[in-house]
Amino acid sequence: MSFRTTSAIDYVEDVSPGSGALPPRARYASSDARSLSLNGSWRFRLSPTADTVDDSFAAEGFDAGDWAEVSVPGHWVLQGHGSPIYTNHLYPFPVDPPRVPTGNPTGDHLHTFDLPSDWPSDGGAVLRFDGVESCARVWLNGTDIGEFKGSRLPHEFAVGHLLKPGGNVLAVRVHQWSAGSYLEDQDQWWLPGIFRDVTLLHRPAGGVLDFFVHASYDHVEGLGTLRVDSDVDGRVTVPALDIDVATGESVTVPVRPWTAETPQLYDGVLATEGERVTLRVGFRTVALEDGLIKVNGTPLLFKGVNRHEWHPERGRALDLETMREDVLLMKRHNINAVRTSHYPPHPAFLDLCDEYGLWVVDECDLETHGFTEQAWRDNPVDDDRWTPALLDRAARMVERDKNHPSVVVWSLGNEAGTGRGLTAMAEWIRGRDGSRLIHYEGDIDCRDTDVYSRMYADHAEVESIGRGLDGGTHRRRGLPFILCEYGHAMGNGPGGIADYQHLFESYDRIQGGFIWEWIDHGIKDERYGFAYGGDFGEELHDGNFVCDGLLFPDRTPSPGLIEYKKVIEPVRIVGDGADGTVRVTNGYDFADLSALAFEWSYQVDGETVEAGVLPVPELAPGESADVKLPDPPADPRGGETQWTVRATLAADTAWGPKDHLVAWAQFPLSSRLLTAVAQSDGPVLDEGQITLGPAAFDARTGALRSIGGVDLRGLRLDVWRAPTDNDNGAAWQPDQRYGPLWRELGLHRMQHRLESVELGDDALTVRTRVAPAAREVALRAVYRWTSDGTRLRLTVSVAPEGDWRLPLPRLGIRLGLAGSVDGARWFGGGPGEAYPDTKSASMVGRWESTIDGLQTPYVRPQENGARADVRWVEIGGLRVEGEPEFWFTARRWTSEQLDAAEHPTDLLAGDTVWVNLDHGQQGIGSQSCGPGALEQYQLRPAPAEFTFHFSEIHG
């Protein structure tokens, strides 16, 4: 005979959403009813399994004096108890739904609190948890009140009958793994704990229960219609609109509509017999019309980002100011939309989106991505046993967030395959809220969704979709298209986003996309700076794939964010500069240009010599105007000249200060004058040294040793760069993973064979063959040196040999500057790094930086820091001019040392600054999870010739 006992922890593996919690309802920002935050220091005990100890800790009088303490909100693994785990989509436990491992870290939390002396004695009380990962059981004063799953969703319990004036004991047992974990495989750190707020709410008799604010806008008549449905009768007042009506009644009045560009909110109050709740009403109508997503009758163009919640020390336990910082950074970088990947955010974040203006795709707390490993067999979303849990998650999202005007689309979840459970979610949402659209990328036939959504489709496919040539079902062909994820921002990149934006703006059906993703999930770590997957000894992990954001973990903008800001700027300024006219186009969907001020400036050789105001009309959305620039000033120097036009904030706004740069463009007027070096001096051989003008060379090898008083070493042709995450590419595209292919070919260990050192009457010529061991391919490199007595001219000629099937990482020369080198000045693109397909934000001018400041501190070190379109650079007492313009990079370690580093702390500064002067660079792309560099940005081996002029800087 065999039998199985019923365990007190069976709820952990139960597919139901839990028991004891109240039905979900609207979240409101403030009320005149009392509340008590239970955040703070809690007693904590960690057990290795779910049933190591019994539940006696929940009883009144239990002595937890020897327990540790943790902060709530918080994750215990970030507070010295256990370790975080990162996986992209693989479950870090055996896939046997709904079973979880016996080894199931379980955190017992205890918190004792007193009620304030003026806490009302009438009515009831609700205990609210805003987020607990992944499963919690709750006791108050020794009474078991229920358990729940759904980590990033609110759960409330009625507790008024259990409260006492003092010494209330709240006990919460949290399990890291549960049946709910199978629904939360969301490409992030697995971080157990009570990571959002815990609050006690007084619920007065006759108080507000659930309510739904319906605030539509008629864009033809300019009228808003307000109706507030409430479970408890009351009145709704909006003083600014002279509204005073009963709940359930509609009223129509003239209003200013809410949009992400013009986030007009009206303060109101919902008053019932026992409570007054504040309302922030935004009037807007979302519709699917003419095959497009429209708000207030206008099609949207999403310039968005995917946002996981993250803080490098507190994980997903975010405070209000961190959330505000995110929103302000988005607004200041021209971002207008957020997809809340892959769960509803902290509710305060949506308040901020309402206030400052961001379109929100609110995504349900659902992803079952790990089931791809078994061809989606046993996938919970196609198993009726799990449907109640899916519906519970959908309801808790919709009910909590339904009153936010910023939320325009509900998303069913992410990468969960297909199935009946998703259809049930979509049907429930439509029945509850028909005022928004529904999204789910996995619904390839758009059976349940209102938008055709894809992730990481390449440019050619996106254009095909825009032209209506993509096929698919009849329903899908009539729907708008968005890229819910594109431009994978892992490490150096993403590249090619300007080409995507061109497609978005060329085809009405394509309504934009969302960059993956907002922030690197690096964990602050004294060993590495920021840690990523594998740094905590995880047996199974996905490395630095968790660091794929437009912000570094400390919220410093990456070059990718600066590029994105430029690519999506809401004002287009075009022209050729020659005729003195520029065309200004308003790219906003709703706002005119009255909030912006325009200015022109005129540069000679990168220095501004004159500037002034540019009168631009207050253009309506989509309108353009040709604007005349002033006559260019006289230029006695005859240098390279250009116009720069900037659009800035005309006054302080809620999200940015006056003069904040919104958009800009540059227009060349006259080309630079190339420096001529007359060949007046010839090479002279004397005692093992060749002198040529100011330079000294090794007579045997032809290697450059010095220019005047500047010592140099190792000047030679260079083709290697430390592969970027995008160079290394995604495993499912092996034929284009150039990083591994370059390494297999041997480009990181090229051998330089000296063929001849030739002294002519006016030139020193050094011929070499550069090739990898064991391969037939090679590059013939000829260095021809000449001088006019004070300057040194180098012309490098390169000819490929053999069957080159790969692009080169880079093509140029590398040299080392010995001694003290503090910084660099240059005339060219800046101030930050740029590569062939990431240079939209590279502004031509005069720039300077320290050597350390030239580095981009990617969490995993890789090629970085190149400045584009450089005319000349001054560094370490040396001036270098290029014909044509070149890429310039300088660092205190070699590319090989950069390649070997796993973290920035592995990079140790040496006594040499290594400088790359590149004729060409391979593009970046976003192949870490997306397409590689487009063909036009690939550095294919071909005959090339480029020239540099060297001179010593005196004084």
Side-chain angles (χ1 to χ4, degrees):
M1 177 182 295
S2 64
F3 63 91
R4 182 175 184 269
T5 61
T6 300
S7 169
I9 61 164
D10 278 354
Y11 65 89
V12 174
E13 294 181 339
D14 191 334
V15 298
S16 75
S19 64
L22 295 169
R25 63 184 180 124
R27 169 71 176 249
Y28 42 84
S30 64
S31 158
D32 64 352
R34 291 296 305 274
S35 66
L36 177 66
S37 172
L38 301 181
N39 296 345
S41 180
W42 289 43
R43 290 290 184 176
F44 177 78
R45 175 182 64 187
L46 182 62
S47 301
T49 69
D51 57 357
T52 299
V53 293
D54 60 26
D55 56 10
S56 61
F57 81 103
E60 293 183 88
F62 181 84
D63 183 5
D66 60 346
W67 286 20
E69 293 188 12
V70 295
S71 294
V72 172
H75 306 278
W76 70 68
V77 294
L78 297 183
Q79 300 185 63
H81 305 280
S83 298
I85 300 169
Y86 168 63
T87 60
N88 168 27
H89 76 279
L90 298 174
Y91 290 106
F93 47 79
V95 180
D96 182 25
R99 306 281 189 259
V100 296
T102 299
N104 187 358
T106 295
D108 290 333
H109 299 70
L110 277 175
H111 186 62
T112 302
F113 64 94
D114 299 330
L115 295 179
S117 59
D118 58 349
W119 187 267
S121 58
D122 63 327
V126 165
L127 177 65
R128 183 175 65 211
F129 295 88
D130 279 313
V132 182
E133 183 176 331
S134 73
C135 172
R137 186 177 180 186
V138 186
W139 296 261
L140 181 61
N141 292 330
T143 298
D144 183 350
I145 60 175
E147 78 282 340
F148 61 91
K149 307 177 191 77
S151 297
R152 284 152 279 279
L153 295 162
H155 294 83
E156 294 183 332
F157 298 87
V159 296
H161 60 294
L162 300 175
L163 290 173
K164 55 186 181 180
N168 292 283
V169 178
L170 177 58
V172 185
R173 173 163 284 173
V174 180
H175 307 282
Q176 175 155 18
W177 310 123
S178 71
S181 301
Y182 285 99
L183 304 180
E184 297 172 3
D185 188 23
Q186 296 155 317
D187 186 11
Q188 60 182 338
W189 293 97
W190 299 88
L191 299 174
I194 306 172
F195 67 94
R196 287 186 184 162
D197 305 291
V198 182
T199 312
L200 183 68
L201 303 168
H202 176 243
R203 303 311 304 137
V208 174
L209 294 177
D210 191 23
F211 64 96
F212 198 160
V213 177
H214 303 274
S216 61
Y217 180 70
D218 181 338
H219 67 279
V220 176
E221 300 295 333
L223 299 176
T225 298
L226 176 66
R227 187 185 81 247
V228 178
D229 294 333
S230 175
D231 288 355
V232 176
D233 291 342
R235 296 199 69 79
V236 175
T237 55
V238 183
L241 298 176
D242 292 327
I243 290 176
D244 184 347
V245 296
T247 54
E249 293 183 3
S250 296
V251 59
T252 300
V253 294
V255 298
R256 293 173 57 194
W258 189 97
T259 75
E261 297 165 7
T262 57
Q264 175 67 48
L265 292 173
Y266 293 95
D267 292 327
V269 172
L270 165 60
T272 64
E273 179 183 355
E275 186 176 12
R276 292 170 57 86
V277 169
T278 59
L279 305 177
R280 304 202 78 190
V281 181
F283 291 88
R284 56 104 186 97
T285 295
V286 184
L288 181 63
E289 294 177 351
D290 306 318
L292 299 174
I293 303 168
K294 294 185 179 181
V295 173
N296 304 337
T298 297
L300 299 185
L301 184 60
F302 291 118
K303 303 171 181 179
V305 292
N306 287 275
R307 175 186 177 268
H308 269 295
E309 296 184 308
W310 189 250
H311 186 279
E313 296 174 82
R314 301 191 298 273
R316 287 187 287 279
L318 298 190
D319 63 296
L320 179 61
E321 287 313 305
T322 298
M323 291 183 270
R324 189 186 307 275
E325 184 178 359
D326 277 350
V327 171
L328 292 178
L329 280 168
M330 290 175 189
K331 295 291 290 187
R332 291 169 185 169
H333 289 86
N334 295 330
I335 291 165
N336 72 359
V338 180
R339 175 178 173 230
T340 69
S341 53
H342 297 294
Y343 42 83
H346 190 291
F349 180 77
L350 297 180
D351 292 336
L352 295 168
C353 293
D354 293 342
E355 178 182 353
Y356 292 102
L358 288 169
W359 308 115
V360 175
V361 176
D362 198 356
E363 191 150 275
C364 195
D365 191 12
L366 173 63
E367 181 170 338
T368 65
H369 199 175
F371 284 90
T372 57
E373 296 298 305
Q374 54 199 63
W376 296 106
R377 186 176 61 256
D378 298 326
N379 184 11
V381 306
D382 201 29
D383 183 335
D384 291 339
R385 295 176 302 163
W386 294 80
T387 299
L390 303 183
L391 290 173
D392 181 76
R393 288 170 183 248
R396 291 189 183 279
M397 171 183 70
V398 170
E399 301 295 8
R400 190 196 75 169
D401 297 342
K402 61 182 177 282
N403 295 326
H404 288 282
S406 57
V407 176
V408 293
V409 177
W410 300 118
S411 179
L412 302 180
N414 184 67
E415 292 178 315
T418 58
R420 292 162 289 176
L422 290 163
T423 298
M425 293 170 69
E427 290 175 349
W428 184 90
I429 292 173
R430 282 201 174 90
R432 178 58 173 148
D433 177 25
S435 69
R436 295 175 173 92
L437 305 184
I438 294 179
H439 164 273
Y440 176 63
E441 179 267 342
D443 183 10
I444 195 68
D445 293 328
C446 301
R447 180 183 62 182
D448 298 321
T449 59
D450 299 308
V451 56
Y452 177 30
S453 175
R454 290 285 304 283
M455 52 176 68
Y456 308 112
D458 64 26
H459 299 76
E461 183 179 3
V462 171
E463 181 164 24
S464 177
I465 293 169
R467 296 173 64 190
L469 304 177
D470 55 302
T473 63
H474 176 75
R475 171 171 168 77
R476 193 182 86 181
R477 292 197 304 272
L479 293 179
F481 175 77
I482 64 168
L483 278 169
C484 66
E485 295 178 19
Y486 83 108
H488 196 252
M490 185 176 179
N492 187 334
I497 57 174
D499 305 87
Y500 273 117
Q501 191 66 26
H502 175 72
L503 295 173
F504 298 167
E505 296 177 6
S506 298
Y507 297 98
D508 291 342
R509 184 189 183 192
I510 306 175
Q511 294 195 255
F514 298 79
I515 293 288
W516 186 267
E517 64 167 311
W518 177 237
I519 188 169
D520 288 342
H521 303 200
I523 294 176
K524 189 173 182 181
D525 189 290
E526 61 182 13
R527 300 168 298 170
Y528 308 124
F530 295 106
Y532 50 76
D535 287 338
F536 299 97
E538 304 104 300
E539 293 180 356
L540 185 69
H541 65 84
D542 285 295
N544 69 311
F545 203 70
V546 76
C547 294
D548 46 14
L550 294 170
L551 296 180
F552 295 122
D554 63 359
R555 283 183 162 71
T556 299
S558 76
L561 181 56
I562 306 304
E563 174 80 355
Y564 193 41
K565 174 186 177 181
K566 173 61 180 167
V567 165
I568 61 175
E569 61 188 10
V571 180
R572 296 301 186 199
I573 309 167
V574 298
D576 62 11
D579 65 357
T581 300
V582 295
R583 168 155 285 202
V584 178
T585 301
N586 180 356
Y588 286 112
D589 292 328
F590 297 93
D592 63 25
L593 298 188
S594 59
L596 301 181
F598 290 79
E599 61 181 35
W600 61 267
S601 59
Y602 184 79
Q603 288 85 39
V604 177
D605 289 336
E607 293 185 306
T608 296
V609 295
E610 284 193 29
V613 174
L614 185 67
V616 174
E618 295 180 359
L619 300 171
E623 287 188 343
S624 299
D626 292 325
V627 181
K628 188 73 172 64
L629 294 167
D631 293 333
D635 178 23
R637 294 178 291 176
E640 177 181 357
T641 59
Q642 68 179 13
W643 297 100
T644 300
V645 176
R646 293 177 172 86
T648 62
L649 290 181
D652 291 346
T653 70
W655 53 265
K658 182 179 183 295
D659 298 327
H660 167 78
L661 182 62
V662 174
W664 60 272
Q666 290 186 310
F667 310 100
L669 193 58
S670 62
S671 301
R672 69 183 177 122
L673 302 176
L674 298 177
T675 303
V677 176
Q679 299 174 3
S680 59
D681 282 19
V684 176
L685 175 63
D686 183 25
E687 296 183 355
Q689 178 171 284
I690 299 171
T691 58
L692 178 61
F697 298 81
D698 183 282
R700 182 179 63 85
T701 64
L704 179 63
R705 290 176 171 173
S706 64
I707 298 176
V710 180
D711 294 332
L712 298 101
R713 63 183 65 165
L715 187 149
R716 64 184 188 181
L717 188 76
D718 191 21
V719 299
W720 181 244
R721 74 185 188 194
T724 67
D725 291 314
N726 287 303
D727 289 338
N728 286 332
W732 58 84
Q733 299 171 303
D735 59 332
Q736 296 181 40
R737 297 183 65 200
Y738 289 134
L741 292 171
W742 288 336
R743 205 178 299 276
E744 180 183 352
L745 182 59
L747 298 190
H748 62 306
R749 48 177 173 78
M750 299 287 275
Q751 298 185 19
H752 297 249
R753 186 179 78 204
L754 177 65
E755 297 194 326
S756 67
V757 178
E758 305 168 6
L759 275 71
D761 292 339
D762 60 358
L764 167 65
T765 303
V766 180
R767 302 182 186 275
T768 67
R769 185 177 188 271
V770 184
R775 307 293 178 183
E776 292 184 320
V777 296
L779 298 171
R780 293 279 182 178
V782 179
Y783 309 87
R784 188 173 189 273
W785 299 92
T786 59
S787 176
D788 63 0
T790 59
R791 290 172 294 177
L792 186 68
R793 176 186 175 99
L794 167 64
T795 297
V796 182
S797 301
V798 181
E801 291 183 351
D803 185 12
W804 284 89
R805 299 183 180 182
L806 298 176
L808 295 173
R810 66 173 357 123
L811 180 66
I813 61 171
R814 178 173 77 174
L815 57 91
L817 295 173
S820 175
V821 180
D822 296 325
R825 300 176 59 249
W826 72 97
F827 173 27
E833 74 179 23
Y835 291 82
D837 55 350
T838 66
K839 55 185 283 188
S840 298
S842 182
M843 181 182 286
V844 174
R846 295 218 187 179
W847 310 101
E848 59 182 273
S849 173
T850 64
I851 299 300
D852 291 341
L854 289 170
Q855 315 312 307
T856 303
Y858 294 113
V859 176
R860 187 192 73 80
Q862 56 198 274
E863 166 63 31
N864 73 89
R867 269 57 180 181
D869 301 317
V870 176
R871 281 73 163 159
W872 56 255
V873 60
E874 295 178 346
I875 180 171
L878 195 67
R879 180 182 174 95
V880 185
E881 301 176 59
E883 298 177 21
E885 291 81 15
F886 57 97
W887 273 272
F888 153 68
T889 310
R891 52 178 71 102
R892 299 189 187 278
W893 35 79
T894 64
S895 293
E896 292 75 16
Q897 291 168 325
L898 184 63
D899 185 15
E902 296 293 331
H903 298 88
T905 49
D906 296 332
L907 294 167
L908 303 177
D911 60 358
T912 301
V913 169
W914 292 97
V915 178
N916 278 91
L917 309 171
D918 290 318
H919 175 65
Q921 277 271 0
Q922 167 76 357
I924 297 297
S926 64
Q927 203 194 353
S928 52
C929 189
L934 291 168
E935 183 66 30
Q936 62 265 36
Y937 303 122
Q938 294 184 15
L939 183 61
R940 294 290 172 178
E945 185 173 281
F946 47 94
T947 297
F948 297 105
H949 301 158
F950 300 88
S951 57
E952 184 180 11
I953 301 171
H954 298 282

